[in-house]
Amino acid sequence: MYAYDEIDRTFLSERVAEFRDQVRRRLNGELTEEEFKSLRLMNGVYLQLHAYMFRVAIPYGTLSAQQLRRLAHVGRKYDRGYGHFTTRQNIQFNWIKLAELPDAMEDLAEVGIHAIQTSGNCVRNITTDQWAGVVPGEIDDPRVWAEVLRQYTTLHPEFAFLPRKFKIAISAADHDRAAIKIHDIGLRMRRNDAGEIGFEVLVGGGLGRSPFIAKTIRDFVHARDIISYVEAVLRVYNQYGRRDNIYKARIKILLHELGAERFAKDVEAEWAQIRDGMLEIDDAMVDDIRSRFRYPRYEQLSDTPQELAKASDPRFTAWLQNAVAPHKVPGYAVVTLSLKPIGGTPGDATAEQMDAIADLADRYSFGELRVGHEQNLALPNVAKRDLPALWRALDKIGVATPNVNLISDVISCPGLDYCSLANTRSIPIAQELTRRFANHDLAAMIGRLHVNISGCINACGHHHVGHIGILGVDKNGEEFYQITIGGRADEGAEIGTLIGPAVPYAEVADVIEDIVEAYLALRAAPDELFIDTVKRLGVQPFKERVYATR
């Protein structure tokens, strides 16, 4: 956990007071909605289909139990009793009243939570691996470096009005759980030949109307230079990024038009002017930020406790195999809490669930939680001896469905149920898919398979990088859906391939079942993953199966 100081608390308090005055002027008619728009967006407030939507940042996906309880409080007092965890380590409240927003912000600020940089054309909430700091083999805790960049970019006058929104993600492990290749800047932590820490810098990733996988523009930037290098990238983007066309304003378009080599050359020229100046990070500054992260005092525990050996419930065994991952400290484990119950809305948690999870985090995980871009939560520091008791408690509140990374672990945007940009529904399709694949034995037999759904081309459900991607499109007022397969968001990130014409709403779940049946018939062995079968055979066999009777 990162501990904020008095300067941070004062800043947040002043920010709330400023927004309270802006809301007062809007409600009094002193500001038009158009005049108010840029002010609310700088505070994470969108105007959606039914109400204002309040998006709150969870920096690097880390929450304390106290903070989760406060989010539950906001959901209960100011919304309709729940919150929606997004694909970028944020939480959204969809029914909040404008007049009550300043009070909600003030309540959150008391525990160090805010909504700054969750919207607008600025550097957005910097995200990382939700297992940061606890996963075996990690080079360093990427949250420290996310905090370094967060502090530098927050309200930076040069980067507060970029051509478009700007997203940065950091990974420090071999397996990329932060989806760095679909971000404007992706930073992969590495060591050089001297053993020093630095970053491979990837630029130009992004989804939406024009999806691109990020390209490496520098193999290694020393950690002490990461601020100056990121600033050089932002300066080039600020100078050449288009502001005349919103659809061509993202850095991915600039990189595509200039070419990675030319873009990298411009960045190097910019960097040469600033790299040896005041932006060089000294060890004392990093040490100070690192010291503000509170790490657990782990006990020396058995890695094979008797409590696990005695557990005989097959439901616990299924959950243990699916939702529990190795920890860097023997005797501990990382536990993923599925927010994808059968028939539920992906990413939603009720206020009662959040309160209960906070209590369990206090009891079993040193009071700490994580939020992943897959719209699930995690308890990062659970003693293995406590896993049976924790499972029973999680099962009781509905967050122990053993479907993590399986076909019913659907990632979905809110779609037309809430979003003013969407043109089709996403949530009902996700719910139907969880019902179709509710049988755990079937889902486990299918194996790892990510389904991503977006209700429009803005791709908030990351459909381009789903093993199976579903994109809603409007056709003369009717909901149709394009299906792609073969996408992935990890270290081997790829954009999925369209398998054929869009299908109507009523046929989407049937099509997904057809694709899965084709996979089961085509895979070379029971342990060949869906994504590997698609890579080996291409989309044609799946296309033939889906469209043979349509």
Side-chain angles (χ1 to χ4, degrees), residues 40-58:
R40 62 173 168 78
L41 286 177
M42 286 191 285
N43 291 280
V45 180
Y46 289 74
L47 183 55
Q48 295 288 37
L49 277 180
H50 312 294
Y52 284 99
M53 180 271 281
F54 182 34
R55 180 181 292 160
V56 178
I58 301 171

Side-chain angles (χ1 to χ4, degrees), residues 265-295:
K265 185 178 179 181
D266 287 353
V267 170
E268 291 291 323
E270 195 70 37
W271 190 38
Q273 300 180 47
I274 58 177
R275 65 175 297 181
D276 296 324
M278 60 181 293
L279 296 182
E280 182 174 312
I281 306 171
D282 61 43
D283 292 342
M285 192 269 274
V286 177
D287 291 344
D288 177 58
I289 288 178
R290 194 183 299 277
S291 72
R292 294 167 187 257
F293 282 88
R294 294 171 183 160
Y295 293 94

Side-chain angles (χ1 to χ4, degrees), residues 238-309:
N238 225 356
Q239 182 175 3
Y240 298 115
R242 292 184 61 170
R243 297 173 187 271
D244 62 325
N245 186 333
I246 191 173
Y247 302 118
K248 296 185 178 181
R250 296 289 295 269
I251 195 172
K252 61 186 178 184
I253 303 299
L254 175 64
L255 188 112
H256 177 70
E257 291 181 348
L258 288 179
E261 187 175 347
R262 159 72 192 284
F263 183 87
K265 185 178 179 181
D266 287 353
V267 170
E268 291 291 323
E270 195 70 37
W271 190 38
Q273 300 180 47
I274 58 177
R275 65 175 297 181
D276 296 324
M278 60 181 293
L279 296 182
E280 182 174 312
I281 306 171
D282 61 43
D283 292 342
M285 192 269 274
V286 177
D287 291 344
D288 177 58
I289 288 178
R290 194 183 299 277
S291 72
R292 294 167 187 257
F293 282 88
R294 294 171 183 160
Y295 293 94
R297 293 184 177 179
Y298 299 109
E299 300 176 65
Q300 288 190 340
L301 300 175
S302 169
D303 209 36
T304 55
Q306 292 184 349
E307 288 83 355
L308 285 185

Side-chain angles (χ1 to χ4, degrees), residues 341-353:
I342 303 305
T345 300
D348 275 11
T350 66
E352 289 71 26
Q353 284 176 318

Side-chain angles (χ1 to χ4, degrees), residues 265-521:
K265 185 178 179 181
D266 287 353
V267 170
E268 291 291 323
E270 195 70 37
W271 190 38
Q273 300 180 47
I274 58 177
R275 65 175 297 181
D276 296 324
M278 60 181 293
L279 296 182
E280 182 174 312
I281 306 171
D282 61 43
D283 292 342
M285 192 269 274
V286 177
D287 291 344
D288 177 58
I289 288 178
R290 194 183 299 277
S291 72
R292 294 167 187 257
F293 282 88
R294 294 171 183 160
Y295 293 94
R297 293 184 177 179
Y298 299 109
E299 300 176 65
Q300 288 190 340
L301 300 175
S302 169
D303 209 36
T304 55
Q306 292 184 349
E307 288 83 355
L308 285 185
K310 292 177 181 176
S312 58
D313 190 324
R315 293 175 60 234
F316 169 74
T317 302
W319 174 81
L320 181 69
Q321 294 173 345
N322 173 261
V324 179
H327 195 285
K328 69 179 183 181
V329 178
Y332 288 86
V334 182
V335 175
T336 297
L337 283 56
S338 171
L339 297 183
K340 317 292 177 60
I342 303 305
T345 300
D348 275 11
T350 66
E352 289 71 26
Q353 284 176 318
M354 287 191 270
D355 277 337
I357 293 168
D359 290 345
L360 294 173
D362 274 338
R363 190 177 308 158
Y364 295 113
S365 187
F366 298 91
E368 185 177 334
L369 302 105
R370 303 294 178 81
V371 181
H373 77 83
E374 298 91 349
Q375 299 179 290
N376 289 320
L377 302 180
L379 296 176
N381 297 296
V382 179
K384 287 187 174 179
R385 68 187 178 196
D386 294 331
L387 287 172
L390 174 63
W391 168 71
R392 289 191 290 273
L394 295 176
D395 188 47
K396 193 174 180 179
I397 60 173
V399 293
T401 306
N403 62 350
V404 177
N405 289 322
L406 301 181
I407 191 169
S408 59
D409 186 7
V410 179
I411 294 173
S412 171
C413 72
L416 198 54
D417 286 285
Y418 297 101
C419 181
S420 60
L421 299 177
N423 46 33
T424 63
R425 292 168 290 171
S426 299
I427 293 172
I429 290 177
Q431 292 169 327
E432 176 61 17
L433 289 176
T434 63
R435 286 188 282 266
R436 297 275 183 112
F437 295 97
N439 183 301
H440 176 70
D441 291 337
L442 171 62
M445 189 262 288
I446 294 169
R448 188 182 184 102
L449 203 168
H450 299 165
V451 177
N452 295 51
I453 309 173
S454 298
C456 75
I457 196 62
N458 289 296
C460 293
H462 295 179
H463 66 277
H464 294 295
V465 290
H467 296 175
I468 297 176
I470 303 172
L471 166 65
V473 293
D474 176 84
K475 282 191 173 183
N476 300 319
E478 294 186 32
E479 294 171 295
F480 274 74
Y481 294 82
Q482 296 177 350
I483 312 295
T484 55
I485 62 174
R488 59 193 301 172
D490 58 12
E491 59 279 6
E494 291 188 33
I495 302 297
T497 302
L498 189 67
I499 65 168
V503 298
Y505 172 85
E507 295 182 20
V508 174
D510 293 339
V511 167
I512 303 307
E513 283 191 326
D514 287 346
I515 292 172
V516 171
E517 287 178 7
Y519 156 64
L520 294 177

Side-chain angles (χ1 to χ4, degrees), residues 177-244:
R177 274 173 293 272
I180 64 171
K181 289 189 175 182
I182 58 171
H183 281 74
D184 297 294
I185 292 180
L187 301 176
R188 178 187 291 135
M189 190 170 285
R190 293 185 179 279
R191 289 187 185 277
N192 63 12
D193 293 340
E196 298 169 312
I197 290 175
F199 299 90
E200 175 187 355
V201 180
L202 301 96
V203 175
L207 303 178
R209 189 176 300 269
S210 304
F212 287 100
I213 298 298
K215 291 182 170 58
T216 298
I217 63 166
R218 209 169 210 284
D219 289 330
F220 187 84
V221 174
H222 196 288
R224 65 171 174 265
D225 296 321
I226 196 59
I227 285 180
S228 61
Y229 196 83
V230 167
E231 169 145 342
V233 173
L234 284 163
R235 284 186 177 190
V236 171
Y237 175 47
N238 225 356
Q239 182 175 3
Y240 298 115
R242 292 184 61 170
R243 297 173 187 271
D244 62 325

